[in-house]
Amino acid sequence: MPVEAGDIRMNTPLGTVRAIAPRDADRLATLGLTTVGELIAHLPMRYEREEAESSIENLPADAVVSARGEVTATRVAGFGRKQRFEAVLHDGSGRLDLVWFSQPYLHRKIGAGTRLRIQGKSRRRGGGLQVANPRWELIDDGGGEPGSREARLRPVYPASEAIDSRSIESCVRSVLRPAIVRLEDHLSPELRRERELPALHDAFLMVHEPRDDGEIASGRRRLAYDELLLLQLGVQLKRAHRERTLAAPRIEVDGTLDARIRERFPFELTSAQEKVVAEIARDLARPIPANRLIQGDVGSGKTVVALYALLAAVAVGQQGVLMAPTSLLAEQHFLSISGMLEGSRVRVELLTGSLAAGERAGVLAALESGEIDVLIGTHALLTEGVRFDSLAVAVIDEQHRFGVRQRAALRTKGDAAGDKPVVPHTFVMTATPIPRTLAMTLLGDLDVSTIDGLPPGRTPVRTKVVGRDKRDTVYTWVRERLDEGEQAYVVVPAIESGGDEDATLRAVVRELESGALSGKRVAAIHGRLKRSTREHVMGRFRSGLIDCLVATTVIEVGVDVPNASVMVIEQSERFGLAQLHQLRGRVGRGARASVCVLIGEPTTEDGAARLGAMRDSTDGFELAEKDLELRGMGELFGARQSGLPPFRVADPTRDLELLRLARRDAQEWIERSPDLGGPEEALVRRRLLRRYGESLGLGDIA
Ligand code: ADP
Ligand code: MG
């Protein structure tokens, strides 16, 4: 049974709506539009101005005019390239001559009896009025009285080969009004008034059938606000839920403990580190699990800050864990942390994939019995089958992700405080700073600390971008630097899967050894090497027994060799901006002036822009904003980074004010009503769950 206008709901399938032809419903489906609600949420991307229409007898000469009527005669005149198509248009009030030059084929589309709407410049011609080369469209308005129509803004919809904007427009028109009469608003009239937002059904009318530009802006603003508000509500809801239902061990860091921890650090903390350490100490003192993002540029000294939290846990007889994205980084963390803890009673262990089964079992047993104080390993290894005796602090070292996705729960034995499960305080460290706008959008669930300064004694890295033809010159120059006792990295892009990484890197080593770097000690390192081999190579590089290390991006995080002051990145156009910045962070760690050479031949504009950005800035935050600009919000918001569905209307980089507003409103809302449980909140709750329930993992909250 076809659905009549009066029965249309948002979830009515388009295929069942009487006013929509089955063929159009099929075509809309190719755009992913299968219900009335989806069609109405398919918003115009821009608008075209249509001039006012008047009856033909009232059309002025020498003006842009619009008219409609029926074609009464047509002909093709002239020869060859001079051919033209002529038509006569009548609307009952008068006659208008139309001519299209060099488009004789129009006779196949326009004939006697065709109804047309035209727009173009009018002029006097032989006593009558003529429009040359008008814009035209076929109309199906059943004729009727000639009359005047106001100018209007015509929506232009994202369309496809299967269905064009005009057909979409007519489908929208046939369901819009019946659909929105019953559309309830999830915002109260008071809130709408305060925020100067139109009602939801008005907003839909305003964007689909605007009377003026003001309506477009106003309707769009309401829909964008809704989108941002729902996301913020979801994120805040999740946070409130976490704080209400989970417990964490309270760790009071007093002056004595603070001093004992600091004694282990081989340097004074920078003021930026101090600030973050204080924030961490405040988190730990609460019986609520912390969920904090610690962002700091490459080399800003995040490791000691993390260690501070881990040692605080150990001091009260609990355990800490540090998870790294790669084995190499886990090993690096293990080395530097064991180094700082030498001679203390703190037991630190490394859990990696290369442990023999027996060793692994031993580590796991010692962990569960509480003998191990701090465990270090990769994300993957630490989530399967690992049980702690009493885990109080988890530190997660990320590379390029923003860390909003649900993390596998770390399990601990001593489980519950009253009726609340106990979970560790969690700190996520990232060297990919989150652009401000993105942080505000996504991270309502996380507190953010920023280490905004580098330890003293760093010299900024100079960056050069050169073409492949300069390769020989580059390596001749590298050789001169090595002659001065410096060390270098040469980075080669990851090999496509199936390729032989080892062979590729070794070919580069051989090329350098037999050419520009002959007589120098060159070695390769990559992710597929055995841990012992990798450690051996890294150890030799660190102690200066290797001059030049040829590496894949395994070195991008964590590697810390202050004497290395030269980096060459081959085929640099193949790396992302964040990754290039990470890689470059491996140099500039000592007193020497460091140089990073990007060899590359960018084939795209973006590629060139990335290399240019690297040349012009060493500031990770600035580069992150640039990255956002280059990649667009869409990609950063894509499933890969955040797991969130993309925005349809809002663009947080453009709607920054609206974002702030939505964020504040959501915060106040959740403070007032932490579970959105009120009867008048049922609607907003339902819409929130439908849009973000899955991606934000709100299932167990609802
Ligand atoms: P990242 O933030 O990139 O993880 P690291 O924690 O690896 O940075 O620190 C980078 C280097 O800076 C390390 O060699 C570390 O020992 C050193 N470092 C960290 N903090 C300080 C400090 N306050 N003073 C001097 N050196 C520091
Ligand atoms: Mg680090």
Side-chain angles (χ1 to χ4, degrees):
M1 270 297 280
V3 176
E4 305 295 339
D7 296 321
I8 285 177
R9 301 276 187 286
M10 282 298 188
N11 59 6
T12 306
L14 291 169
T16 67
V17 176
R18 181 184 295 280
I20 291 182
R23 210 183 43 170
D24 282 336
D26 290 345
R27 290 170 170 170
L28 288 169
T30 64
L31 289 172
L33 308 174
T34 59
T35 66
V36 167
E38 282 164 1
L39 177 59
I40 285 173
H42 188 69
L43 302 182
M45 52 189 181
R46 60 189 172 81
Y47 300 83
E48 271 171 6
R49 170 164 293 281
E50 266 183 11
E51 296 307 325
E53 260 178 50
S54 50
S55 59
I56 290 176
E57 69 176 342
N58 290 329
L59 291 180
D62 302 312
V64 175
V65 299
S66 280
R68 63 177 64 210
E70 185 172 319
V71 174
T72 53
T74 65
R75 70 169 186 149
V76 175
F79 297 97
R81 303 220 331 257
K82 291 258 171 74
Q83 271 194 334
R84 62 187 189 272
F85 176 68
E86 298 177 351
V88 178
L89 193 72
H90 275 280
D91 73 346
S93 78
R95 163 196 172 128
L96 181 65
D97 291 324
L98 307 173
V99 57
W100 286 269
F101 296 103
S102 312
Q103 299 180 51
Y105 52 83
L106 284 179
H107 79 266
R108 285 197 295 272
K109 301 187 174 165
I110 299 172
T114 312
R115 292 195 55 80
L116 284 188
R117 185 181 174 284
I118 63 99
Q119 181 170 326
K121 182 100 188 290
S122 65
R123 56 180 172 170
R124 296 234 173 272
R125 198 82 184 172
L129 207 59
Q130 187 200 56
V131 177
N133 296 321
R135 280 192 4 219
W136 61 277
E137 71 181 294
L138 299 176
I139 51 173
D140 179 15
D141 60 357
E145 291 297 298
S148 56
R149 274 162 225 259
E150 312 233 318
R152 70 167 182 133
L153 289 162
R154 177 158 204 176
V156 179
Y157 291 92
S160 71
E161 299 238 310
I163 185 161
D164 63 14
S165 171
R166 296 210 159 142
S167 311
I168 296 172
E169 181 187 354
S170 86
C171 292
V172 170
R173 281 186 164 250
S174 54
V175 296
L176 181 61
R177 282 159 207 277
I180 61 178
V181 284
R182 257 184 242 95
L183 187 61
E184 277 183 78
D185 204 321
H186 50 267
L187 299 185
S188 68
E190 297 79 60
L191 181 59
R192 292 201 312 258
R193 205 160 37 242
E194 271 169 37
R195 297 289 171 250
E196 295 180 344
L197 295 164
L200 190 54
H201 58 264
D202 287 335
F204 278 115
L205 269 184
M206 288 169 163
V207 294
H208 287 295
E209 297 178 11
R211 280 179 297 204
D212 52 45
D213 290 329
E215 287 201 349
I216 298 174
S218 173
R220 208 195 136 273
R221 182 165 171 273
R222 162 70 209 255
L223 298 178
Y225 174 86
D226 272 13
E227 220 168 16
L228 296 167
L229 180 78
L230 287 186
L231 175 59
Q232 294 299 322
L233 281 175
V235 157
Q236 302 288 341
L237 188 67
K238 198 168 151 193
R239 181 198 187 100
H241 180 76
R242 175 167 54 82
E243 299 197 340
R244 245 173 336 135
T245 56
L246 297 176
R250 275 194 58 187
I251 304 172
E252 199 80 59
V253 183
D254 60 15
T256 326
L257 175 52
D258 178 75
R260 253 172 63 215
I261 295 175
R262 284 167 194 268
E263 228 168 70
R264 289 284 153 196
F265 299 160
F267 37 66
E268 298 279 303
L269 294 185
T270 64
S271 58
Q273 286 168 322
E274 289 290 359
K275 189 186 65 190
V276 176
V277 159
E279 283 162 346
I280 289 176
R282 260 200 307 280
D283 284 349
L284 295 177
R286 302 198 311 161
I288 295 168
N291 201 24
R292 182 175 293 279
L293 183 81
I294 299 169
Q295 54 174 352
D297 209 347
V298 198
S300 61
K302 293 183 288 296
T303 315
V304 281
V305 170
L307 185 58
Y308 189 97
L310 295 169
L311 292 181
V314 175
V316 296
Q318 307 242 3
Q319 293 166 301
V321 64
L322 173 54
M323 305 202 268
T326 67
S327 315
L328 184 73
L329 183 54
E331 288 152 19
Q332 289 280 324
H333 278 315
F334 178 70
L335 283 177
S336 67
I337 289 178
S338 318
M340 288 189 241
L341 295 179
E342 216 171 281
S344 79
R345 283 194 306 266
V346 180
R347 179 165 165 200
V348 185
E349 287 289 346
L350 180 66
L351 186 69
T352 72
S354 48
L355 282 190
E359 288 175 298
R360 180 179 161 89
V363 170
L364 292 184
L367 192 67
E368 189 157 359
S369 67
E371 288 160 61
I372 293 177
D373 299 304
V374 174
L375 184 68
I376 298 173
T378 59
H379 296 181
L381 278 167
L382 290 177
T383 44
E384 305 154 10
V386 176
R387 270 183 90 82
F388 291 82
D389 175 40
S390 56
L391 179 64
V393 170
V395 176
I396 302 168
D397 200 0
E398 292 273 8
Q399 344 183 34
H400 302 311
R401 291 189 305 121
F402 294 119
V404 286
R405 216 186 260 284
Q406 289 277 85
R407 278 162 222 293
L410 289 162
R411 287 176 304 163
T412 182
K413 237 173 32 183
D415 268 333
D419 53 348
K420 293 180 181 177
V422 175
V423 300
H425 296 285
T426 302
F427 301 97
V428 181
M429 302 193 288
T430 177
T432 303
I434 298 176
R436 227 181 29 255
T437 44
L438 197 60
M440 287 216 305
T441 321
L442 288 177
L443 304 176
D445 190 34
L446 282 177
D447 296 307
V448 181
S449 291
T450 305
I451 306 184
D452 49 6
L454 297 179
R458 300 285 166 82
T459 37
V461 181
R462 250 187 333 126
T463 302
K464 294 193 162 202
V465 180
V466 303
R468 247 195 298 284
D469 54 324
K470 294 282 186 339
R471 228 174 140 249
D472 290 345
T473 324
V474 168
Y475 284 109
T476 308
W477 167 84
V478 169
R479 185 191 179 88
E480 288 164 14
R481 301 281 303 228
L482 299 188
D483 284 339
E484 300 289 314
E486 297 177 46
Q487 289 171 286
Y489 298 103
V490 171
V491 182
V492 179
I495 318 300
E496 281 85 41
S497 64
D500 185 342
E501 208 160 58
D502 195 48
T504 311
L505 290 196
R506 271 201 289 198
V508 177
V509 170
R510 266 197 311 278
E511 181 211 332
L512 293 175
E513 273 178 339
S514 62
L517 303 189
S518 66
K520 298 294 175 196
R521 294 156 302 181
V522 185
I525 189 164
H526 57 79
R528 308 239 174 97
L529 291 177
K530 280 205 315 234
R531 176 183 161 201
S532 54
T533 314
R534 218 161 44 209
E535 276 183 356
H536 179 70
V537 173
M538 279 315 297
R540 285 170 58 85
F541 186 62
R542 206 173 288 115
S543 53
L545 296 172
I546 291 172
D547 302 303
C548 176
L549 197 59
V550 178
T552 56
T553 52
V554 294
I555 64 151
E556 100 186 75
V557 275
V559 171
D560 189 15
V561 179
N563 192 52
S565 53
V566 173
M567 173 170 285
V568 177
I569 304 183
E570 295 267 6
Q571 299 176 57
S572 56
E573 74 279 0
R574 292 182 48 189
F575 295 91
L577 193 49
Q579 206 170 24
L580 287 171
H581 180 61
Q582 288 291 311
L583 286 166
R584 181 172 59 184
R586 300 307 114 205
V587 293
R589 294 183 161 238
R592 277 206 170 97
S594 298
V595 179
C596 174
V597 183
L598 304 173
I599 301 180
E601 313 262 276
T603 51
T604 63
E605 242 173 70
D606 279 4
R610 282 201 300 274
L611 299 189
M614 282 293 292
R615 185 192 50 222
D616 297 339
S617 176
T618 53
D619 178 336
F621 284 85
E622 203 176 303
L623 289 169
E625 297 281 352
K626 185 79 193 169
D627 204 20
L628 177 66
E629 197 180 297
L630 287 174
R631 289 199 285 166
M633 211 62 182
E635 182 164 337
L636 285 185
F637 261 113
R640 219 162 43 83
Q641 293 289 3
S642 68
L644 292 175
F647 286 130
R648 299 191 188 112
V649 196
D651 175 352
T653 50
R654 212 179 38 185
D655 301 322
L656 202 59
E657 276 317 310
L658 203 56
L659 173 58
R660 292 211 176 92
L661 195 63
R663 191 172 156 89
R664 213 180 52 220
D665 288 346
Q667 255 156 14
E668 285 172 11
W669 194 330
I670 296 295
E671 267 164 34
R672 238 177 13 242
S673 172
D675 56 358
L676 287 183
E680 71 293 347
E681 290 167 322
L683 190 57
V684 74
R685 194 181 162 85
R686 203 167 65 230
R687 288 187 178 151
L688 163 61
L689 287 177
R690 196 181 311 137
R691 182 79 192 271
Y692 294 112
E694 198 173 321
S695 50
L696 288 178
L698 297 174
D700 51 334
I701 300 176

